[in-house]
Amino acid sequence: MDQNNPFLSPPTAARTFGFFVDGQWREGGEHFERASPGHGTPVTRTVRCSVDDLNAAVCAARNAFEDRRWSGLSGAGRGGVLLRAAEILRRRRDEIAYWEALENGKPIAQARGEIDHCIACFEVGAGAARMLHGDSFNSLGDDLFGMVLREPIGVVGLITPWNFPFLILCERVPFILASGCTMVVKPSEVTSATTLLLAEVLTEAGLPAGVYNVITGSGRVIGQALSEHPDVDMLSFTGSTAVGRSCVHAAADSNFKKLGLELGGKNPIIVFADSDLEDAADGAAFGISFNTGQCCVSSSRLIVERSVAAEFEKLLVEKMKKIRVGDPLDGATQVGAITTEAQNATILDYIARGKADGATLLTGGGAVDLGRGQYIAPTLFSGVSRDMAIARDEIFGPVLCSMHFDTVEDAIQLANDTVYGLAASVWTKNIDKALTVSRRVRAGRFWVNTIMAGGPEMPLGGFKQSGWGREAGIYGVEEYTQVKSVHVEIGKRTHWIA
Ligand code: NDP
């Protein structure tokens, strides 16, 4: 490792982490070793926790919730901890970005930008903690007054995926904490390091013991046990639609815990002939290549007006060929490694299916050999029909499918022709088209002449099979609360028994 800057090369030996329960670091017997997908060398070792470890974590979170050590603080008190956490994250930004890039394979410059977004999440969460409030009804007559209280839902289980291990965590944790809940987090086994580092940050910020607990291990064992746990009041799950469905069954078969689900997407990017085609091409290249397309809001279906389709695809190919695919720790890299071997195989398989199904490959179309690690070139298919697998399935890789339309109605119909409804964008200089399409396409996040823009003030979540509920901002905090109606009689009761 470079002695002057430890964050420029992979570590010489894997770093070992414990897991975090009730404010204490604990050791375990069996470990999982993670190799960097960009380098192929071991970088971290995390504990394969047992279900007993999980039960201890849920018990700690339950005790911390019931004795009100966190929910009993004022909003200002909780907000103060979140603001201190933001400051500590600012100080540790490069270090956290380094472990994120190593375990996930994302470019270090992108990882640093994501940490900045995470800092903003904590700041917005701090404000939300202070602003969270209920409602009152002064309309029930002179004898009765109504109050609606917002109360924290209780113990939250949080299962996060490997594509944005820290960002997805931070789009939830500050808002869960703002509400007054306590939690047990289960990160993906392949990307657990930064979730564990957040325990250090929150402890230094003054979060009481037992409020934030982290259990590591496989989804099949620990994730499943968390989703089935009868003492967890709510589960927030982000990942595949298949596991999301299993969480619904687990909730129904255990205690009807409330669910927040952010699942897959097959997100349309609609380009009209009257758009700024250069801007739209840049947006399309970014939208499919960012995070190697391993992004639930990737714009993976290009729906372009037929009259400019050939011109637009040419522009897009020029842009995509210039994207710098490279070592995640190189500051100039724009597209890093594919996070897991399984995902790498899935993406290559879809590319092969696209070719076999008769789509026309315009650029990319295979692995990039950098001598170590697993990389795939940003790929564009044209001549794609809506029934092809590459047009219907979430590939979760840098593979864009181009389809053509003639009218606004066609564009809307194509955009909505999916079981998903996570995100969408439209590119046009015509305000009528922009507003019509924004209102008619069924998606939880929508962008006009931009893509993947936003901040933690704005809610995130999906329509249709992309999920339930919303995360982030005041909407996100409210998800982790439940409302109670309080009815107050004023004055002497009118007696039922005369
Ligand atoms: P999963 O849904 O398996 O993984 C997401 C999270 O769920 C991980 O923490 C995983 O743990 C955990 N998990 C796995 N099995 C269970 C279970 N039975 N009960 C509870 N939790 C569980 O996604 P994959 O890694 O298999 O990826 C497959 C596909 O899912 C991708 O190709 C992509 O299409 C989609 N996906 C979508 C994401 C999104 O942001 N919407 C994120 C990730 C994947 P562990 O990893 O330790 O097994």
Side-chain angles (χ1 to χ4, degrees):
M1 194 186 288
D2 184 322
Q3 291 308 307
N4 300 320
N5 186 343
F7 306 132
L8 289 180
S9 51
T12 48
R15 175 172 170 180
T16 300
F17 289 86
F19 61 102
F20 192 72
V21 172
D22 210 9
Q24 304 290 322
W25 289 99
R26 298 191 182 183
E27 298 304 323
E30 209 189 321
H31 285 85
F32 168 80
E33 189 172 79
R34 171 66 174 158
S36 157
H39 308 95
T41 51
V43 287
T44 53
R45 289 174 78 240
T46 49
V47 178
R48 283 217 146 124
C49 290
S50 65
V51 173
D52 285 345
D53 296 329
L54 172 71
N55 290 338
V58 174
C59 182
R62 172 59 58 197
N63 290 339
F65 182 71
E66 297 299 340
D67 72 13
R68 303 181 62 78
R69 71 186 80 163
W70 181 242
S71 63
L73 296 183
S74 65
R78 286 198 298 278
V81 171
L82 297 177
L83 282 179
R84 281 196 293 282
E87 274 314 305
I88 298 163
L89 286 177
R90 203 165 264 124
R91 194 180 78 221
R92 296 184 63 176
R93 169 183 184 258
D94 286 1
E95 174 206 351
I96 294 173
Y98 172 74
W99 291 104
E100 192 80 345
L102 281 178
E103 283 196 333
N104 168 277
K106 66 179 69 208
I108 188 75
Q110 178 193 319
R112 290 186 185 128
E114 288 177 14
I115 310 298
D116 292 338
H117 177 81
C118 296
I119 293 166
C121 288
F122 273 87
E123 291 169 343
V124 171
R130 299 188 71 151
M131 295 305 292
L132 183 65
H133 63 275
D135 202 353
S136 65
F137 283 80
N138 200 22
S139 55
L140 305 179
D142 279 348
D143 300 341
L144 198 61
F145 180 61
M147 291 181 284
V148 179
L149 307 185
R150 279 204 175 269
E151 297 186 355
I153 202 158
V155 174
V156 176
L158 180 54
I159 299 178
T160 54
W162 41 260
N163 56 338
F164 290 98
F166 202 65
L167 183 127
I168 286 177
L169 181 75
C170 293
E171 283 178 341
R172 287 143 182 79
V173 169
F175 305 101
I176 296 171
L177 292 178
S179 74
C181 291
T182 62
M183 75 186 90
V184 176
V185 188
K186 205 299 285 179
S188 171
E189 186 164 44
V190 295
T191 53
S192 299
T194 53
T195 303
L196 292 160
L197 291 176
L198 187 63
E200 291 180 0
V201 170
L202 292 171
T203 303
E204 186 185 340
L207 189 74
V211 176
Y212 177 85
N213 306 277
V214 185
I215 291 291
T216 49
S218 80
R220 206 171 30 80
V221 178
I222 297 299
Q224 184 72 33
L226 184 56
S227 68
E228 289 169 353
H229 206 293
D231 206 22
V232 169
D233 300 299
M234 176 169 173
L235 181 75
S236 168
F237 169 82
T238 305
S240 63
T241 303
V243 176
R245 185 168 282 117
S246 92
C247 291
V248 174
H249 289 298
D253 292 343
S254 54
N255 61 342
F256 285 110
K257 58 178 67 62
K258 183 178 175 183
L259 291 175
L261 302 172
E262 191 178 332
L263 309 174
K266 190 73 180 174
N267 310 296
I269 168 170
I270 301 169
V271 178
F272 282 97
D274 62 13
S275 65
D276 180 323
L277 293 184
E278 281 275 357
D279 276 7
D282 190 73
F286 172 70
I288 192 59
S289 308
F290 179 70
N291 212 49
T292 55
Q294 298 176 121
C295 187
C296 53
V297 294
S298 283
S299 47
S300 49
R301 285 186 302 143
L302 171 62
I303 298 175
V304 56
E305 193 161 352
R306 198 176 311 276
S307 60
V308 293
E311 180 192 351
F312 185 75
E313 286 167 0
K314 187 163 168 284
L315 269 175
L316 184 51
V317 167
E318 281 165 20
K319 297 251 180 212
M320 289 173 83
K321 281 186 189 299
K322 286 189 196 153
I323 294 170
R324 294 184 299 273
V325 179
D327 186 320
L329 296 183
D330 179 342
T333 293
Q334 289 177 297
V335 166
I338 304 299
T339 305
T340 67
E341 282 176 22
Q343 193 59 32
N344 197 54
T346 300
I347 300 166
L348 292 174
D349 192 46
Y350 272 111
I351 292 175
R353 281 175 80 178
K355 292 175 185 168
D357 287 347
T360 309
L361 181 68
L362 295 185
T363 188
V368 176
D369 185 1
L370 297 182
R372 56 182 184 170
Q374 59 216 8
Y375 299 86
I376 293 179
T379 295
L380 176 62
F381 279 109
S382 185
V384 176
S385 61
R386 61 173 81 195
D387 54 331
M388 287 183 191
I390 55 170
R392 304 210 73 79
D393 300 353
E394 181 180 52
I395 299 175
F396 226 56
V399 182
L400 180 59
C401 306
S402 179
M403 293 177 275
H404 306 160
F405 72 88
D406 295 300
T407 65
V408 175
E409 277 306 314
D410 287 350
I412 293 169
Q413 208 274 328
L414 253 179
N416 283 333
D417 185 18
T418 169
V419 296
Y420 297 115
L422 201 55
S425 81
V426 65
W427 298 73
T428 174
K429 291 296 178 196
N430 180 308
I431 187 77
D432 297 342
K433 284 183 200 167
L435 285 175
T436 301
V437 174
S438 311
R439 293 167 72 174
R440 297 266 310 277
V441 172
R442 300 189 62 207
R445 268 199 273 182
F446 203 95
W447 293 286
V448 178
N449 294 327
T450 184
I451 206 144
M452 293 192 210
E457 297 85 350
M458 299 284 279
L460 330 163
F463 285 26
K464 301 198 278 183
Q465 292 187 32
S466 290
W468 291 347
R470 294 294 177 267
E471 304 282 359
I474 198 72
Y475 298 88
V477 183
E478 288 179 354
E479 285 287 335
Y480 295 98
T481 65
Q482 51 196 341
V483 292
K484 178 186 280 175
S485 327
V486 178
H487 307 81
V488 184
E489 173 97 20
I490 299 171
K492 180 92 179 119
R493 175 175 170 79
T494 308
H495 283 210
W496 185 51
I497 304 162

